[in-house]
Amino acid sequence: MNAPDRYERFVVPEGTKKVSYERDTKIINAASFTIEREEHTIGNILRMQLHRDPNVLFAGYKLPHPLQYKIIVRIHTTSQSSPMQAYNQSINDLDRELDHLKSAFEAEMLKFSRDY
Amino acid sequence: MEGGVSYARMPRVKIRELKDDYAKFELRDTDASIANALRRVMIAEVPTVAIDLVEIEVNSSVLNDEFIAHRLGLIPLTSERAMSMRFSRDCDACDGDGQCEFCSVEFHLRVKCMTDQTLDVTSKDLYSSDPTVSPVDFSDPSATDSDNNRGIIIVKLRRGQELKLRAIARKGIGKDHAKWSPAATVTFMYEPEIHINEDLMETLTLEEKREWVDSSPTRVFEIDPVTQQVMVVDAEAYTYDDEVLKKAEAMGKPGLVEIIARQDSFIFTVESTGAVKASQLVLNAIEILKQKLDAVRLSEDTVEADDQFGELGAHMRGG
């Protein structure tokens, strides 16, 4: 009756941007990214990848409320970098890693079916 | 893009078992966040096709319409084509109606019992408008008896009873409804690293060794009958229950064994419902994860926002 539609959890509503950026007004090189309609799947890999960047001083994410279908990723970097740069870098690195994983799995599939 | 510095890893994969509905493989040189993301995507975000709308013309069976419709929705349908299909709500060919060839598949079921024998209506009685999307076949190819027609039973009909319906199957993901999940289950475990302290072990008598080995509910350790030494026979049987550690402590030998979960090695078990092959399920999950990453990239107008301070911004960044 008054339950929200299930697709609201993963369809970005019209007029809303998937990712928005908000600079921290108190700390230099700190910012928050709000990602709509995502949860721990993306948040966790993004955070862990950001931790591997030596220019990142702080990286964390949170789901503000279970009925607000978004995550807020907070990034604080050194002066050698910027939150936007670190964010883009982490996504590119994750993309590269997944490309490699896909190739490795496909190669292993071929090898396995040949040995069988 | 950013001038060559990269912190991407190079994961390694080794497949141990591979069947149509089951896969077991090792994933190394990555961390738990990637493994868990893959697991979550395989369970809830890889798209498949499932019956979503049922129009019942005739139903004189003992089950009511809603019950039969629910059972139809849970039948796994072969979904090799699902990745390239459109979601009904995004389809512009049928204006969101969800019944055109690009975003749906039509099924028909027409069965009437004409004999005194009870008639089983199964998933094999469903006729699809698209041969690539059909109920999953659970027959065992090696069996030859007539009981091998193992469709999923939808309802049983007695003499004179009839069932006639039309069903529309659509693309969806497990996050919306579990009927769209292609995975029966997906699990991964950390690979355990087990080190036995040989000096402490030598202070035990054979009887004490036997007692300690038997304290594990799964068979992880064994005593070599020749040398009387305790050795690890199956490290992966360890269930992280700490029983052998407690036993060692109770015997006054803390530190007898050290068991660490390796943080960069995972053993995946993927069991598919049959809608998608287990190997294809893993590849689809990687593809979906890449699509999600593309979706969360910063758009062009967001990047411009960072330049609002112009040279002051560059100065603040120390460049």
Side-chain angles (χ1 to χ4, degrees), chain B residues 4 36 51 61 77 116 151 190 195 203 214 263 277 317:
Chain B
N36 196 45
I51 286 169
S61 69
L77 308 173
D116 286 335
Y190 294 88
H195 299 287
T203 64
D214 288 345
Q263 294 297 305
K277 285 184 180 178
R317 281 192 293 274

Side-chain angles (χ1 to χ4, degrees), chain B residues 112-185:
Chain B
K112 183 169 183 177
C113 181
M114 308 289 275
T115 68
D116 286 335
Q117 191 104 6
T118 301
L119 179 66
D120 291 345
V121 183
T122 69
S123 55
K124 285 182 178 294
D125 296 313
L126 273 170
Y127 290 100
S128 171
S129 63
D130 183 343
T132 64
V133 180
S134 59
V136 173
D137 184 12
F138 296 100
S139 307
D140 187 355
S142 56
T144 51
D145 60 316
S146 61
D147 279 335
N148 195 33
N149 178 26
R150 288 176 52 197
I152 298 168
I153 294 179
I154 300 164
V155 67
K156 296 186 180 187
L157 301 179
R158 290 285 283 165
R159 183 182 182 90
Q161 291 178 348
E162 187 180 0
L163 182 61
K164 193 189 291 185
L165 58 85
R166 181 180 87 112
I168 301 292
R170 295 184 181 125
K171 174 181 177 178
I173 59 175
K175 196 185 266 192
D176 197 343
H177 194 293
K179 70 185 182 187
W180 275 299
S181 177
T185 190

